[in-house]
Amino acid sequence: MTLSEEDYIKAIYHLSDFNSKSVATNAIAEQMKTKPSSVTDMVKKLAEKSLVNYKKYQGVSLSEKGRLVALSIIRKHRLWEVFLVDKLNFSWDEVHVVAEQLEHIKSDALIDKLDAHLGYPKVDPHGDPIPNKDGVFTKSVKKLISELPVGSQGVCVGVNDSSAAFLKFLDKNNIALGDTFKILEIEEFDGSVTISTRSGSIRISKQIATNLFLEIVDEE
């Protein structure tokens, strides 16, 4: 399988909201930054390999075979991100581009040893779940800060925006995965939120509140 084919399979998986929902070829073209006609050509190749289900004008969905390939690629990507952060001291805003290259390594034995070496991590540095070798991963119940009422308390378990600019902002404000936050105040006018963090209280914009996930915990 070519690198391009793997990139398409991963894109279809993400666009389908992680299930077998059909995806429009125009959406894939936008994601891949290419022409719809190029997408159609690639989708036909993937269909010939039984990796996707495709009917003209009805969109594209991954077959079970394609879904497992997508999960394998995602597993490799997220394990490499953990390795880069934990073992090579990359910052979490640097790892995505490097992991995009490493995810195409074919050796299953290498990835299994990497997984074991890292202690079988369940999430990557951005809080996204890591599938095991069978394509199974643990789903946690998490909510965006913007969806929660005053008084809610939880552990920061993920980000909705993994862009370098956003992750650098979080570092600048000492906000990290694993931190416990409590929502102290929500400003009615602009939707900004005041939260307590390990460094004290901080007011975050509505845009930031819509990009941080909390796993709710009971107050002691």
Side-chain angles (χ1 to χ4, degrees):
M1 186 180 300
T2 67
L3 303 190
S4 181
E5 288 172 340
E6 290 187 348
D7 286 339
Y8 269 86
I9 288 171
K10 189 173 74 167
I12 294 167
Y13 180 81
H14 286 300
L15 288 168
S16 66
D17 292 330
F18 318 113
N19 57 39
S20 57
K21 185 176 72 176
S22 291
V23 178
T25 52
N26 284 342
I28 301 171
E30 184 175 347
Q31 176 79 7
M32 299 299 295
K33 296 180 173 57
T34 189
K35 298 180 294 183
S37 58
S38 298
V39 172
T40 300
D41 291 341
M42 175 59 78
V43 164
K44 288 179 179 177
K45 291 179 183 178
L46 296 175
E48 289 173 358
K49 296 182 177 183
S50 301
L51 293 166
V52 302
N53 305 306
Y54 171 66
K55 288 186 179 181
K56 196 173 183 179
Y57 307 123
Q58 293 185 26
V60 185
S61 64
L62 291 177
S63 64
E64 179 61 15
K65 179 181 177 182
R67 188 184 72 85
L68 291 174
V69 169
L71 288 168
S72 174
I73 297 165
I74 290 166
R75 176 183 181 232
K76 289 186 282 186
H77 181 104
R78 294 176 180 173
L79 284 173
W80 282 119
E81 287 193 334
V82 174
F83 177 79
L84 291 168
V85 170
D86 289 359
K87 305 301 181 182
L88 299 185
N89 298 317
F90 277 72
S91 62
W92 66 340
D93 59 283
E94 297 175 315
V95 295
H96 181 73
V97 173
V98 181
E100 286 277 313
Q101 302 168 48
L102 294 170
E103 70 185 25
H104 296 293
I105 291 174
K106 303 298 184 185
S107 173
D108 291 334
L110 171 62
I111 300 305
D112 288 344
K113 287 184 178 294
L114 176 65
D115 196 7
H117 177 67
L118 295 171
Y120 304 102
K122 300 298 184 185
V123 296
D124 72 8
H126 309 107
D128 294 316
I130 300 174
N132 64 19
K133 65 186 300 180
D134 298 316
V136 177
F137 54 82
T138 303
K139 293 183 179 180
S140 63
V141 178
K142 57 186 182 180
K143 286 192 173 183
L144 294 168
I145 289 178
S146 58
E147 298 173 340
L148 297 168
V150 170
S152 299
Q153 181 171 294
V155 177
C156 184
V157 294
V159 294
N160 204 27
D161 178 356
S162 57
S163 67
F166 182 61
L167 299 178
K168 286 177 181 176
F169 171 86
L170 297 182
D171 283 339
K172 181 180 178 181
N173 288 278
N174 294 315
I175 295 173
L177 298 188
D179 287 351
T180 298
F181 300 153
K182 184 173 183 178
I183 299 176
L184 304 177
E185 181 184 7
I186 300 173
E187 178 57 54
E188 183 178 354
F189 175 69
D190 62 2
S192 59
V193 181
T194 301
I195 59 174
S196 64
T197 72
R198 56 194 164 98
S199 303
S201 64
I202 180 176
R203 181 177 289 275
I204 59 176
S205 69
K206 183 178 181 180
Q207 181 180 6
I208 295 165
T210 57
N211 280 298
L212 283 176
F213 286 106
L214 296 189
E215 187 171 49
I216 304 305
V217 297
D218 295 328
E219 293 188 64
E220 297 180 353

